[in-house]
Amino acid sequence: MSKITAAITAVGGFVPDYVLSNLELEKMVDTTNDWIISRTGIKERRILKGEGLGTSDLAAPAVLDLCKKRGIDPSEIELIICATTTPDFVFPATANIICDKIGAKNAFSYDVQAACSGFIFSLVTGSKFIESGQYKKVVVVGADKMSSIVDYSDRATCVIFGDGAGAVLLEPNSDGLGIRDSILRSDGSGRIHLHQKAGGSVKPPTHKSIDAKEHYVYQEGQQVFKFAVLKMADVSAEIMEKNNLKGEDIAWLVPHQANKRIIDATAKRMNVGEDKVMLNIEKYGNTTNGTIPLCLWDYESRLNKGDNLIIAAFGGGFTWGSIWLKWAY
Ligand SMILES: CC(C)(COP(=O)(O)OP(=O)(O)OC[C@H]1O[C@@H](n2cnc3c(N)ncnc32)[C@H](O)[C@@H]1OP(=O)(O)O)[C@@H](O)C(=O)NCCC(=O)NCCS
């Protein structure tokens, strides 16, 4: 009997309407359009506006989009894994709320927190439920409302992040299509360079912590940049070597979109041409767990059955990893 693999059979996405351009940021903090474009590659990002709206309001429409495209009812989904760093609440899990909002009455659901690597960690986790043979329809959604934890008076972080969500459906495949291999890593000693100082159990929220702006993203940009370039390129090269893949075998590199310069360094190391690199950083910025599925959403019409994709991510923790998959449709 041939081995069951987990194939992506549909992609959905959602970005909010509000466009926060570099030109608008120029009026908010001491920055310039030229600086942002040359140092990050970002021109604009989307922001979810509106009282009482959270990450589940980005994720739910992304999952519904996927259901519509695949022609399934949400009640057919058996499991929803939500990768997010900006959950609606500390508890319950945002995935539980998504299920309720879309009517996924027969699914169990939970969140995965691995900062910007959350989507790839979740994709690998979800694939194991399919490979076991026990489940046939697993949704992995990456969603973040980064604007809820970004300080819009800090020019070093507010220019980078945006809001958005992307989702994929995993189903069993017996032709060797889908997820073929993965390498996932984490090193918690890197947490000092990228974290949120308060709001968790170590430092529950107080008036003092809020006044000190400790509920926002704290990032040592240069340190994170150095690790990201090294680790994302290393792990992408490693998965290719492990599977005897050369640059010319790769149809698409799907990198986490944190900084265009990090993406360029990864592609160079893999010997993959610029025309084979999925990019959406220019229009969405870093949507954290949204970047990779939103890339697949944007480029879906250019993908062909059997294409070799390398997905690579790096994030806070530190966390990082790569996936080799064969596109299934
Ligand atoms: C954040 C980041 C864009 C900053 O770019 P950089 O080239 O490293 O810039 P630096 O931090 O070295 O700062 C250089 C100068 O630009 C300034 N600067 C920072 N942000 C700026 C902005 N938005 N506009 C203008 N100047 C800015 C700094 O204050 C510094 O000025 P100084 O030399 O007078 O002190 C970059 O470090 C980065 O992308 N890091 C990785 C981020 C990442 O991957 N995060 C998520 C992981 S998932």
Side-chain angles (χ1 to χ4, degrees):
M1 211 172 84
S2 59
K3 187 177 175 284
I4 299 171
T5 49
I8 293 175
T9 55
V11 183
F14 178 79
V15 287
D17 291 335
Y18 190 87
V19 177
L20 175 58
S21 66
N22 289 352
L23 299 177
E24 190 176 347
L25 280 169
E26 278 185 358
K27 296 181 196 134
M28 294 161 62
V29 286
D30 182 14
T31 191
T32 62
N33 181 39
D34 286 348
W35 191 95
I36 303 172
I37 292 178
S38 65
R39 304 309 292 163
T40 70
I42 303 167
K43 286 188 180 156
E44 57 188 43
R45 67 289 291 142
R46 301 298 182 97
I47 304 293
L48 180 65
K49 300 262 186 184
E51 195 75 19
L53 298 180
T55 294
S56 67
D57 297 293
L58 300 164
V63 180
L64 287 175
D65 181 35
L66 165 162
C67 289
K68 194 170 162 210
K69 279 159 85 178
R70 185 70 179 136
I72 62 165
D73 189 85
S75 62
E76 294 175 54
I77 301 169
E78 296 164 298
L79 163 62
I80 295 185
I81 304 174
C82 177
T84 187
T85 303
T86 51
D88 282 14
F89 304 99
V90 172
F91 72 93
T94 303
N96 304 162
I97 300 168
I98 297 166
C99 283
D100 182 50
K101 286 187 173 170
I102 67 170
K105 293 185 180 0
N106 299 309
F108 74 106
S109 60
Y110 59 89
D111 288 358
V112 164
Q113 154 62 298
C116 292
S117 305
F119 181 79
I120 65 165
F121 283 22
S122 302
L123 193 58
V124 172
T125 310
S127 73
K128 302 300 170 195
F129 283 93
I130 298 283
E131 287 168 14
S132 74
Q134 195 174 352
Y135 297 93
K136 306 261 183 300
K137 282 188 172 48
V138 172
V139 167
V140 179
V141 54
D144 272 299
K145 184 186 169 188
M146 291 305 292
S147 61
S148 65
I149 56 166
V150 165
D151 175 3
Y152 285 92
S153 66
D154 172 14
R155 67 176 183 175
T157 52
C158 74
V159 302
I160 301 172
F161 295 101
D163 301 340
V168 299
L169 177 66
L170 293 173
E171 293 186 84
N173 185 283
S174 48
D175 299 324
L177 299 171
I179 293 167
R180 297 292 300 260
D181 197 12
S182 62
I183 302 173
L184 305 178
R185 304 237 192 273
S186 59
D187 176 359
S189 68
R191 67 189 181 281
I192 51 170
H193 304 298
L194 180 55
H195 59 274
Q196 189 176 327
K197 292 191 180 298
S201 59
V202 169
K203 213 177 200 190
T206 59
H207 289 294
K208 205 170 144 204
S209 68
I210 288 166
D211 289 345
K213 298 187 167 188
E214 290 178 333
H215 302 266
Y216 292 125
V217 172
Y218 169 82
Q219 173 172 276
E220 294 164 8
Q222 272 189 20
Q223 284 298 326
V224 178
F225 187 90
K226 242 174 23 202
F227 275 98
V229 166
L230 192 72
K231 300 295 187 190
M232 212 161 93
D234 271 358
V235 81
S236 305
E238 191 182 338
I239 203 161
M240 287 173 67
E241 276 162 33
K242 193 176 159 205
N243 293 287
N244 262 325
L245 294 163
K246 306 268 171 285
E248 63 266 25
D249 301 322
I250 307 303
W252 292 99
L253 165 65
V254 195
H256 172 53
Q257 314 275 307
N259 187 313
K260 174 76 164 52
R261 292 182 289 144
I262 299 172
I263 296 171
D264 291 345
T266 304
K268 197 167 167 209
R269 175 80 182 280
M270 292 168 64
N271 209 11
V272 163
E274 260 181 42
D275 55 331
K276 293 177 166 184
V277 180
M278 291 193 191
L279 285 175
N280 63 19
I281 190 167
E282 191 178 278
K283 53 185 184 175
Y284 303 145
N286 181 353
T287 52
T288 302
N289 285 286
T291 61
I292 289 168
L294 279 172
C295 274
L296 296 173
W297 186 56
D298 273 346
Y299 284 75
E300 191 183 15
S301 64
R302 294 164 68 181
L303 289 166
N304 295 304
K305 192 171 178 175
D307 277 355
N308 285 310
L309 271 59
I310 299 289
I311 301 180
F314 180 87
F318 293 130
T319 53
W320 66 101
S322 62
I323 295 175
W324 167 39
L325 71 80
K326 279 190 172 285
W327 196 249
Y329 61 97

